[in-house]
């Protein structure tokens, strides 16, 4: 009887000492031209107007919002992701419509976004569940190109917040310049943006010591390309881990056949990635990443037959000029973290 009582006490103490762990899911999604239907004279949005070449009506716009909401809801399985980084969103209107006038309303997301000088008027944004990520503050970093002062691109979004373990998590949401002028010709532009992100990361590491840093975005480069592997210095998430290094959770995906977040012709590319600081790789921390959960989210409803190149492709809003009524030309990427109360 005495032995049973002692075991009960030990079990009771252990129960109170071990903090409850929960999943903290992060998602990044290039939502492909999420424009409203109103003309902004300061932006090149004429294609996405009711009378424009895309015949961008309120009906098509609402369908797009509901489709994006469906992807985010489905990615959460039993719950939606805590953080959702997005790019190619036009303005506050489209983000507010997404979180207030779509099925996402019940999830009570808040958001932060940039207001860039990008000619097309597309920006980056972060949705967050305020009960699981307590907003502290944010900065938007403007990108300048010394060799081409007239060139404009998306700002870098930096958001600081606190998770339930009490740890501060610094999030960078990025959309690097495209390869439209050619991969090699445009590479210096992406290297320039990456150098700004790296400088901000180094500054945070000096200030916080053991900084928890999450970088996600459409980098328009593969994990092995210069902007990511050299300038950012994002390493494979295997081998010896140093807390001052950055680790690319999607590095291994680049070499996988017929897999990627974006398809160009017959070629799959791993352009959408999530990168973390070494401190988040430490499983002894109350808040840490689970690298094995990194995945490209591509359920069947997000795909369609690629009748031109074979296999499948993302089901887009427009395929060429034809309104396909789909989702995006990119697949989202997901990764899970484990978080527990420090109490």
């Amino acid at each position: 009887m005495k032995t049973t009582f002692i075991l009960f006490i030990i079990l009771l103490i252990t129960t109170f000492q071990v903090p409850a762990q929960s999943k903290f899911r992060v998602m990044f999604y290039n939502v492909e031209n999420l424009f409203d239907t109103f003309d902004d004279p300061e932006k090149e949005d004429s294609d996405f107007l009711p009378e424009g070449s895309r015949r961008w009506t309120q009906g098509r716009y609402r369908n797009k919002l509901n489709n994006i909401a469906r992807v985010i809801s489905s990615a959460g399985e039993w719950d939606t992701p805590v953080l959702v980084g997005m790019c190619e969103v036009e303005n506050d209107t489209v983000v507010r419509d997404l979180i207030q006038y779509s099925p996402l309303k019940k999830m009570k997301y808040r958001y932060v976004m940039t207001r860039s000088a990008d000619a097309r008027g597309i920006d980056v944004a972060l949705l967050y569940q305020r009960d699981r990520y307590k907003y502290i503050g944010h900065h938007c970093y403007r990108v300048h190109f010394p060799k081409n002062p007239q060139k404009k691109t998306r700002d870098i979004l930096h958001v600081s917040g606190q998770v339930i373990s009490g740890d501060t998590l610094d999030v960078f949401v990025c959309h690097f310049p495209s390869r439209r002028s050619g991969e090699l010709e445009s590479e210096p532009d992406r290297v320039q943006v990456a150098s700004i992100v790296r400088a901000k990361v180094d500054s945070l590491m000096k200030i916080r010591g053991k900084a928890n840093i999450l970088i996600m975005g459409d980098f328009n480069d593969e994990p092995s390309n210069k902007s990511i592997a050299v300038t950012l210095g994002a390493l494979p998430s295997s081998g010896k881990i140093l807390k001052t290094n950055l680790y690319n959770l999607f590095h291994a995906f680049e070499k996988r056949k017929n897999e990627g977040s974006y398809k160009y012709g017959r070629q799959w590319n791993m352009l959408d990635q999530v990168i973390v600081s070494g401190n988040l790789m430490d499983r002894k921390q109350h808040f840490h990443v689970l690298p094995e959960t990194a995945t490209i989210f591509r359920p069947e409803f997000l795909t369609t037959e690629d009748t031109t190149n074979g296999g499948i492709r993302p089901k887009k809003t427009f395929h060429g000029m034809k309104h396909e009524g789909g989702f995006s030309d990119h697949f989202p990427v997901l990764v899970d973290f484990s978080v527990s109360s420090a109490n």
Side-chain angles (χ1 to χ4, degrees):
M1 185 69 180
K2 183 182 292 185
T3 302
T4 303
F5 179 74
I6 292 172
L7 288 173
F8 173 75
I9 294 298
I10 292 174
L11 179 62
L12 190 64
I13 293 172
T14 304
T15 301
F16 280 100
Q17 285 182 337
V18 177
Q21 293 183 333
S22 61
K23 183 173 69 177
F24 186 104
R25 178 159 288 183
V26 171
M27 173 182 184
F28 178 79
Y29 196 15
N30 179 329
V31 295
E32 189 198 14
N33 295 324
L34 181 52
F35 282 84
D36 63 23
T37 61
F38 305 104
D39 183 32
D40 184 336
E42 296 183 0
K43 298 176 181 178
E44 296 176 5
D45 63 352
S46 58
D47 288 344
F48 288 89
L49 298 174
E51 66 277 11
S53 61
R54 302 284 182 174
R55 296 291 185 265
W56 195 237
T57 62
Q58 274 291 317
R60 289 182 172 185
Y61 171 59
R62 291 295 172 187
N63 181 67
K64 173 85 170 182
L65 291 175
N66 287 331
N67 280 349
I68 298 303
R70 180 184 177 189
V71 178
I72 295 172
S73 297
S74 299
E77 297 174 351
W78 298 108
D79 192 8
T80 52
V82 179
L83 301 178
V84 182
M86 300 191 301
C87 71
E88 295 203 14
V89 293
E90 185 186 13
N91 51 34
D92 291 87
T93 298
V94 300
V95 181
R96 282 197 299 265
D97 286 350
L98 178 64
I99 63 176
Q100 293 181 7
Y101 302 106
S102 82
L104 286 184
K105 181 178 181 179
K106 60 183 179 181
M107 301 304 170
K108 297 182 179 180
Y109 277 113
R110 295 292 181 93
Y111 77 94
V112 189
M113 71 176 295
T114 59
R115 291 163 183 81
S116 307
D118 178 79
R120 290 183 59 221
I122 53 175
D123 278 290
V124 299
L126 180 72
L127 309 185
Y128 63 95
Q129 293 180 337
R130 57 178 177 164
D131 58 329
R132 302 175 68 187
Y133 183 74
K134 184 180 179 182
Y135 170 83
I136 296 173
H138 77 278
H139 295 87
C140 299
Y141 304 120
R142 185 61 48 91
V143 177
H144 299 284
F145 301 95
K147 294 183 179 181
N148 188 359
Q150 302 304 313
K151 186 177 180 63
K152 308 295 182 184
T153 192
R154 281 74 62 172
D155 291 355
I156 301 160
L157 177 62
H158 171 204
V159 184
S160 297
Q162 190 177 65
V163 300
I164 62 170
S165 62
D167 293 295
T168 297
L169 175 64
D170 286 285
V171 181
F172 291 86
V173 187
C174 308
H175 187 189
F176 282 16
S178 75
R179 297 181 171 190
R180 188 168 300 170
S181 59
E183 180 182 344
L184 292 178
E185 292 81 0
S186 60
E187 183 179 67
D189 293 340
R190 292 186 293 280
V191 168
Q192 172 66 9
V193 180
S195 69
I196 296 172
V197 178
R198 183 71 233 196
K200 300 302 179 183
V201 166
D202 289 341
S203 178
L204 281 171
M205 286 183 172
K206 288 180 181 178
I207 295 170
R208 302 200 198 285
K210 297 179 179 180
N212 296 311
I213 297 171
L214 166 65
I215 307 168
M216 56 180 164
D218 174 359
F219 298 97
N220 274 305
D221 264 336
E222 302 275 1
S224 64
N225 287 144
K226 183 178 179 180
S227 67
I228 307 297
V230 180
T231 309
L232 267 181
L235 305 170
S237 56
S238 58
K240 186 178 180 180
I241 302 297
L242 297 178
K243 295 190 175 184
T244 53
N245 285 343
L246 295 176
Y247 296 91
N248 193 332
L249 304 177
F250 287 85
H251 190 279
F253 285 71
E254 183 178 353
K255 299 185 183 301
R256 296 183 184 180
K257 188 176 180 180
N258 296 324
E259 192 168 5
S261 62
Y262 178 79
K263 191 177 186 183
Y264 182 74
R266 296 178 180 272
Q267 180 67 41
W268 283 100
N269 301 113
M270 196 63 232
L271 304 183
D272 304 275
Q273 302 152 47
V274 178
I275 297 166
V276 298
S277 58
N279 198 56
L280 285 169
M281 298 285 287
D282 186 354
R283 291 178 182 261
K284 295 179 182 178
Q285 301 291 330
H286 288 292
F287 182 63
H288 62 267
V289 70
L290 304 173
E292 67 277 7
T293 64
T295 187
I296 301 167
F297 185 61
R298 44 181 281 180
E300 188 174 348
F301 73 82
L302 272 184
T303 70
T304 190
E305 180 184 3
D306 189 342
T307 56
T308 304
N309 300 297
I312 64 167
R313 61 171 175 80
K315 189 174 183 181
K316 311 171 188 177
T317 307
F318 287 91
H319 185 50
M321 293 302 293
K322 178 184 177 182
H323 183 248
E324 195 165 67
F327 304 84
S328 171
D329 56 352
H330 287 245
F331 290 134
V333 292
L334 305 172
V335 67
D336 290 339
F337 294 72
S338 176
V339 61
S340 57
S341 171
N343 297 327

